[in-house]
Amino acid sequence: MATSVGQTVNITPLTDLIVSTAAGRPAGSTLSDLCTPVSPSTTAPAACLTALSDAANSSKLNAAVSDVMNMISTINPGNANPLTGAFTANGTGMDKVLDQISVTPATAQSDMATVTLIATNTQIGSVTLPATAGATATTAPTPASSTEATAADAANTALSEIKTCFSAFNALYAAPLSAPSLSRVTEFLDATFTHAQLTQSSFASAFSDGGSQVIEGFKLDVAGFAPKDMSPFSAGEISQIDTSNNNANFGSSQRTIFNSRSTTAYDSASGSAWIKVRASGDAGTWLMKMIKGSAYSGCAGGWKMAGSQSQAAPHMNARINRNANGTYTRSWPFHMEKAKAIAVGGANAFVTVRGAGLAVYSGNASTPVGASTRVKLVQNPNTAALVLAEGQAYYGTGSDAIESCQDLAALTTPPAAGTPCIDETQTAPGKIYLWTVSSNSTTVVSVFPFQTSAVPISKTFAQSNASNIFATLGATTPSSFASVQALHDTDLTGQITFNYTQGSAYGSRVEHCGIQVWNGNTPILGAEQPPIGASRETTCTFNAPESIASNFGNNGFGYSGSATAAYIRVVTTALGNQAVWTKQLP
């Protein structure tokens, strides 16, 4: 949006809040969805034009800018305009302000958006949307006190130190690559490092000379502070969970426990911080604890990585899917590898996830959002990841992702009432979901928070820009289903290669390649291989798949017996989404 020709307009959480305030309605993904043409039309819906007109009203827009600037006034000494002021991602000016705050958007009429100062976990402003879209929103600026602003400056100094340490870590993998030593990588890791079954020792081994993750150009980029202390629940917190009702009371007590945490994302007293990190090729961010110690080479602040402090390491990366039948679907995944769940919760481990918008399809396309629920993930002997326990009649037996209730309602034949879905009017980047790993129906082993970083892009946009979002497959080995069948009961290591190209307009990068082999409705092989080396953006060979599930046994990569179909896929990351292109081998 521009208020005059040639004027700069920044796109940030604060500008989203300004637009929402001026329009008197939710902005962000909600406004994007409202403005997506409904096929076969290519014209923006009338409701979209009304919303944009409300947002562009000069008096409403100026008032919204003024109110938001009041909220940040004491941490914005340069009085930078968040909408039109010059913006550079260098830790100063408006970039510094954005590092110091967390914005929770309003997702429905009458809902409240909040602006929170991360350093003190105090609210410095709110916007309550009107009951009627387009009416006047109610703003309440409560700027940070001088003491709070000082704390924010201290936190910003710590964040700057942390970013410097990560720059030094990333320099270890810069071109031309010279693999770092084990001792050098270990310098960056705290002794308590835990992430996805990796420890300080195993992470250092993987990322040092001779390790599998020594990749030229690899980076860990700091996306800012997490909103607060994002540690897995302590034993004391777990003991407070109300298990008398495994849905309503259970979820409510978890939210209460998490929301009552007083520890901020940056804790100067303990010398710790929780940040958001994005690894090369990943669509989303993950949470990492940092521990401050003595200075070391390249890191004067002494900050060391301590990981997510969880062995489970799930993700909820937004997905846009280009399916084998030519259709497009958007999905919200709840992905956790089975082996990691078992490592945390034991042989019978299962997971429940609770958070914004999780519901069931009502069965009524005009009002598709049914009762609130949780997503349950269970083990499947034929998949490497946990799968949905409910909704398998629609999603299949091997899926870990749900679609929006609104998308389900638009289908020619919607699924049955009670199918899990997500109310996308309640989702937004930054929403927090609580993941619970249980060993049985009454025993909670671990609870950990996860913050989403994006929502799926629209199908219309994906289809119009497919060549710049999805990879385009070239030659593949094997090239046909018959070739796959000929390889049954053999080790497939080194025998599967994909070649592909991709557009550059939206920063597309390949995350992983995949193959699935089915016998009827039963998956008998599933594997994911991250591409490795200088040719990772153009080719992928299955030499060391990071996850494998098959009927071939525990010591090999392959499948046994007959099969009826084989599918291959290339997953890229673009615009904060996993873009999944799936093709059935002929």
Side-chain angles (χ1 to χ4, degrees):
M1 182 179 68
T3 54
S4 63
V5 175
Q7 187 171 16
T8 298
V9 177
N10 303 314
I11 306 299
T12 71
L14 283 180
T15 58
D16 184 83
L17 181 64
I18 289 169
V19 171
S20 176
T21 304
R25 67 184 72 214
S29 59
T30 303
L31 185 60
S32 175
D33 291 336
L34 182 66
C35 291
T36 298
V38 179
S39 182
S41 173
T42 58
T43 304
C48 167
L49 301 179
T50 300
L52 294 178
S53 177
D54 289 336
N57 179 289
S58 60
S59 60
K60 289 184 177 182
L61 188 62
N62 290 337
V65 170
S66 177
D67 286 339
V68 170
M69 289 186 68
N70 283 339
M71 296 177 192
I72 61 173
S73 57
T74 55
I75 59 171
N76 182 27
N79 205 35
N81 186 310
L83 187 66
T84 61
F87 179 88
T88 304
N90 61 0
T92 65
M94 187 51 57
D95 186 47
K96 178 180 176 181
V97 172
L98 293 170
D99 280 338
Q100 294 176 333
I101 62 173
S102 173
V103 179
T104 301
T107 55
Q109 299 305 141
S110 300
D111 197 6
M112 178 187 287
T114 58
V115 181
T116 301
L117 192 68
I118 292 174
T120 57
N121 201 27
T122 51
Q123 187 172 299
I124 60 173
S126 66
V127 176
T128 302
L129 296 183
T132 303
T136 302
T138 302
T139 59
T142 52
S145 67
S146 59
T147 300
E148 291 168 337
T150 299
D153 280 339
N156 191 75
T157 297
L159 186 64
S160 179
E161 292 176 349
I162 290 170
K163 289 181 176 180
T164 297
C165 298
F166 273 87
S167 294
F169 176 80
N170 294 338
L172 302 181
Y173 307 98
L177 178 65
S178 177
S181 68
L182 179 68
S183 60
R184 179 58 174 144
V185 176
T186 303
E187 281 189 294
F188 291 88
L189 306 175
D190 188 72
T192 64
F193 184 95
T194 304
H195 180 73
Q197 296 181 282
L198 291 172
T199 63
Q200 180 197 48
S201 175
S202 57
F203 183 98
S205 294
F207 283 84
S208 60
D209 192 12
S212 62
Q213 299 303 311
V214 179
I215 300 170
E216 185 173 281
F218 177 80
K219 287 184 178 182
L220 289 174
D221 292 320
V222 179
F225 280 120
K228 61 188 302 184
D229 176 8
M230 301 295 276
S231 302
F233 277 26
S234 66
E237 288 174 320
I238 289 176
S239 69
Q240 299 173 39
I241 297 174
D242 183 350
T243 59
S244 60
N245 180 320
N246 203 36
N247 193 11
N249 294 355
F250 188 90
S252 177
S253 65
Q254 284 187 328
R255 288 191 297 273
T256 298
I257 293 166
F258 178 74
N259 291 338
S260 66
R261 284 185 172 178
S262 59
T263 309
T264 54
Y266 169 60
D267 184 7
S268 59
S270 66
S272 65
W274 278 91
I275 61 172
K276 296 178 289 186
V277 175
R278 177 175 281 107
S280 298
D282 280 358
T285 58
W286 50 284
L287 301 166
M288 180 183 285
K289 186 176 183 179
M290 301 295 295
I291 303 293
K292 187 174 178 64
S294 301
Y296 57 94
S297 178
C299 182
W303 289 97
K304 294 176 179 281
M305 293 181 266
S308 65
Q309 296 290 290
S310 170
Q311 292 182 316
H315 80 69
M316 296 177 64
N317 294 340
R319 285 182 190 158
I320 180 73
N321 305 279
R322 185 181 183 183
N323 303 313
N325 61 5
T327 62
Y328 290 77
T329 55
R330 305 182 308 147
S331 59
W332 282 254
F334 297 83
H335 184 85
M336 183 187 293
E337 291 182 18
K338 183 169 58 180
K340 293 171 183 174
I342 292 172
V344 174
N348 298 314
F350 66 90
V351 170
T352 51
V353 185
R354 292 169 172 82
L358 299 182
V360 296
Y361 180 59
S362 68
N364 183 343
S366 60
T367 54
V369 182
S372 297
T373 188
R374 83 287 181 268
V375 168
K376 184 176 182 180
L377 304 169
V378 296
Q379 298 180 41
N380 181 322
N382 298 311
T383 62
L386 299 181
V387 300
L388 298 173
E390 292 104 10
Q392 293 186 357
Y394 174 70
Y395 295 116
T397 59
S399 177
D400 64 358
I402 63 176
E403 297 174 29
S404 78
C405 307
Q406 290 81 359
D407 281 355
L408 295 183
L411 296 174
T412 303
T413 305
T419 299
C421 59
I422 192 164
D423 177 4
E424 62 180 282
T425 68
Q426 297 300 307
T427 65
K431 291 291 186 179
I432 293 173
Y433 292 78
L434 295 177
W435 287 62
T436 303
V437 181
S438 300
S439 59
N440 56 53
S441 61
T442 59
T443 305
V444 173
V445 178
S446 181
V447 181
F448 44 91
F450 186 94
Q451 186 178 33
T452 59
S453 57
V455 295
I457 58 180
S458 75
K459 289 186 280 188
T460 302
F461 181 85
Q463 189 168 2
S464 299
N465 298 276
S467 62
N468 283 308
I469 294 175
F470 300 94
T472 300
L473 272 169
T476 65
T477 303
S479 60
S480 67
F481 174 59
S483 301
V484 173
Q485 285 183 303
L487 295 173
H488 71 87
D489 294 298
T490 63
D491 189 340
L492 298 179
T493 301
Q495 299 196 67
I496 300 176
T497 297
F498 302 167
N499 294 288
Y500 41 81
T501 58
Q502 53 185 317
S504 59
Y506 301 112
S508 175
R509 293 290 183 270
V510 172
E511 181 182 278
H512 71 265
C513 303
I515 184 168
Q516 280 191 320
V517 180
W518 293 73
N519 184 10
N521 294 322
T522 303
I524 56 177
L525 170 65
E528 293 182 357
Q529 171 70 52
I532 297 173
S535 61
R536 60 178 289 121
E537 300 301 336
T538 57
T539 188
C540 177
T541 297
F542 284 68
N543 284 321
E546 65 179 11
S547 63
I548 304 171
S550 73
N551 65 0
F552 193 60
N554 295 325
N555 298 314
F557 167 38
Y559 74 96
S560 296
S562 61
T564 57
Y567 296 84
I568 60 176
R569 68 178 181 274
V570 178
V571 181
T572 54
T573 61
L575 301 174
N577 278 232
Q578 285 183 320
V580 184
W581 191 59
T582 302
K583 176 183 178 182
Q584 183 174 6
L585 287 177

